[in-house]
Amino acid sequence: MNLADKTQAALDGLGFNPLNAKDWLNAMGPFAMIGVWFIMFAETGLLVGFFLPGDSLLFLAGVASSDVALEIVGTKISLVGLLIGAPIAAIVGAQLGHHLGARYGRKLFENQKSRLFQKLFKPEYIEKAEHYFTKFGPSKAVVLARFIPIVRTVLNPVAGILGMPAKQFFVWNVVGGVLWTDGIILGGHFLAKQILDSIGVENVDKYILPFILVIVLISMIPIFIEIFRNLRERKRAKANI
């Protein structure tokens, strides 16, 4: 059994799943809000944070800030603290990612020895991120990337590698960071009561993850709209040839 298998076996024994946002909140207990801040920073600023459950954690954190937090999540978190701290952590993390990309260039990806890292961040994936960065333009790419897991981790250093000015990156980093974090947090906060009324306390664990998946898909609507616009423009360009 290799180290990864041993680690997963140990986590399973503790009843902790690193991909499960609810397990993260329960494990962090009274420090849940600080934990959410840290995970926002790590997922957007540290390449090793690509596996962290950003979207689902934000949504459940929003639920944990509601009046029915204890019934659904088992933890209560300050809504004000989340709305202020989460976007700041995500913005600072992304800015760090941009700085690392600008300073170290492609070596930032090439020097990572982890097999899992190499599998997820293959050269062609980096090239694809560069392609969309060029296709959508720096501003749109930075904002839209916030709503796509893994992409929101890798695009920040890619922006630095491609020479996007730090000040320009910061402006759109702030826009994307606030829309992503506070948008999903508020969604969880205001939908928490409806979730509880619809599925009941006894069914929360069974239905909360599929519900979160729907929220994540909704958060990706701007991406789908942008792709649709590009497809429509291509068709028009072909028709005019």
Side-chain angles (χ1 to χ4, degrees):
M1 182 181 289
N2 58 35
L3 180 59
D5 292 335
K6 289 180 180 179
T7 302
Q8 187 59 53
L11 291 172
D12 291 340
L14 294 172
F16 178 81
N17 179 355
L19 301 179
N20 188 318
K22 190 173 182 181
D23 283 358
W24 276 104
L25 288 180
N26 291 333
M28 292 182 289
F31 304 102
M33 184 165 63
I34 296 175
V36 171
W37 296 348
F38 175 76
I39 289 176
M40 291 303 101
F41 170 80
E43 190 188 10
T44 56
L46 306 176
L47 292 178
V48 294
F50 63 86
F51 69 91
L52 295 170
D55 297 305
S56 56
L57 183 65
L58 286 170
F59 184 79
L60 274 183
V63 172
S65 69
S66 70
D67 294 334
V68 294
L70 297 179
E71 291 92 329
I72 297 180
V73 184
T75 302
K76 181 72 173 178
I77 305 177
S78 165
L79 177 62
V80 175
L82 286 173
L83 293 177
I84 295 174
I88 290 176
I91 291 165
V92 172
Q95 209 68 33
L96 172 63
H98 176 275
H99 171 73
L100 293 175
R103 181 169 182 177
Y104 297 105
R106 297 179 184 276
K107 292 181 180 179
L108 184 65
F109 296 98
E110 296 169 356
N111 290 341
Q112 301 294 332
K113 304 302 181 183
S114 165
R115 289 184 180 180
L116 180 59
F117 186 96
Q118 293 295 340
K119 184 178 291 187
L120 286 171
F121 296 113
K122 293 179 179 178
E124 55 265 35
Y125 295 168
I126 308 303
E127 292 172 4
K128 194 169 186 178
E130 293 176 351
H131 167 72
Y132 283 109
F133 187 86
T134 304
K135 179 179 180 180
F136 292 122
S139 303
K140 285 184 180 179
V142 170
V143 174
L144 295 176
R146 284 292 191 177
F147 298 90
I148 310 176
I150 298 181
V151 174
R152 62 172 159 261
T153 303
V154 72
L155 189 78
N156 303 319
V158 165
I161 291 171
L162 296 180
M164 184 176 184
K167 290 183 179 179
Q168 181 189 10
F169 179 83
F170 175 75
V171 171
W172 297 106
N173 176 23
V174 170
V175 173
V178 172
L179 288 176
W180 175 54
T181 56
D182 285 355
I184 297 180
I185 287 170
L186 288 173
H189 179 82
F190 289 115
L191 291 174
K193 185 66 166 59
Q194 287 86 333
I195 293 173
L196 188 62
D197 292 342
S198 299
I199 63 181
V201 177
E202 67 280 0
N203 294 317
V204 165
D205 288 338
K206 183 178 179 181
Y207 291 104
I208 191 67
L209 289 181
F211 192 87
I212 289 172
L213 178 60
V214 172
I215 296 299
V216 172
L217 291 175
I218 292 173
S219 72
M220 291 179 67
I221 287 177
I223 309 295
F224 300 140
I225 292 175
E226 196 63 39
I227 291 174
F228 174 76
R229 285 177 178 173
N230 277 272
L231 290 174
R232 188 171 59 181
E233 289 175 3
R234 283 186 182 180
K235 289 182 180 180
R236 288 178 178 175
K238 288 181 179 179
N240 293 331
I241 294 176

